[in-house]
Amino acid sequence: MEQKNLEYRPAKVRGCFDHSKELYMMPQTMVDPAWEAGRISPSAETGAYVATPFQCTHLGNPLHLVNRGLVPRKKVNPETWQKGQIEGEVDLVGMVRLTETGKSFVPENNPERNHWHYRDLEAMARITGAEPIFIDADFKSTVPGGPIGRQARVTLRKEHLQYINPLSMDSAATSYPWFNKFICGTPGM
C-alpha cells in the first residue's frame, strides 16, 4: 500500500544482483541523460531495459527488481557485455516505479520468451521470485560495458484539454447576459 505513494521517489539500496534471472523490456529508445527532461536521444538506436533481481542485504535479503538501464539491441544477450555484469555488493540509487498496464497499441508481455513490453510487477515478481518492487537505477549506476542507467521517463498526465469545453460553455453562458446589458442596454438586467 505504501508503494503507491512512493512512485518517482528516490530509493537507496545495498545488495547484490542475480544476473541469472534478468528480464528484458523492449523495444526501448535511448534517453539522452545530457538533454534536459530526459528527451529521446537523436540516435535511432533501440535496445532493451535490463531488469535484474537485486538481493537487498541491508533490508534482510528481500529481492527487488532493478532496471539497470538500456543495452543496445545487438547486445541484449548478456554474454556480449560480461564486463558490465556487476558482481559483489553494491550501493544503488534509483527511483521507485509502479506497475504499468498494457496500452491498446502495445503487445502483450510474453514471460515464457522473456519478452516484456511494459512493467507488470506481479508477473515479473512471479518469474524472478522477487517482491513486486521496481527501482529504476540512476545514471551513476552505469558501469563501462553495461546498461546505461537513468533511462526512466517521468510521464505526468496532461489533462489541460479536458477544461476547454466547460470553460467555453461558461464563457458563452456569461457573454450573452453581459452583451445584452452593456452593449444593447437592455433594461432590467
Side-chain angles (χ1 to χ4, degrees), residues 23 25 65 116 118-128:
L23 305 175
M25 300 187 312
L65 288 167
W116 301 87
Y118 56 91
R119 279 185 314 275
D120 180 350
L121 294 187
E122 293 298 325
M124 291 173 142
R126 271 194 309 275
I127 295 288
T128 60

Side-chain angles (χ1 to χ4, degrees), residues 114-170:
N114 199 7
H115 288 182
W116 301 87
H117 301 284
Y118 56 91
R119 279 185 314 275
D120 180 350
L121 294 187
E122 293 298 325
M124 291 173 142
R126 271 194 309 275
I127 295 288
T128 60
E131 298 289 325
I133 297 171
F134 196 91
I135 299 171
D136 275 330
D138 68 5
F139 185 68
K140 293 176 185 168
S141 70
T142 302
V143 294
I148 300 168
R150 212 232 108 332
Q151 292 295 310
R153 292 185 194 115
V154 176
T155 53
L156 302 175
R157 297 185 311 185
K158 297 176 187 168
E159 297 181 349
H160 306 310
L161 291 178
Q162 74 184 12
Y163 298 114
I164 287 176
N165 197 24
L167 291 175
S168 300
M169 298 303 285
D170 288 346

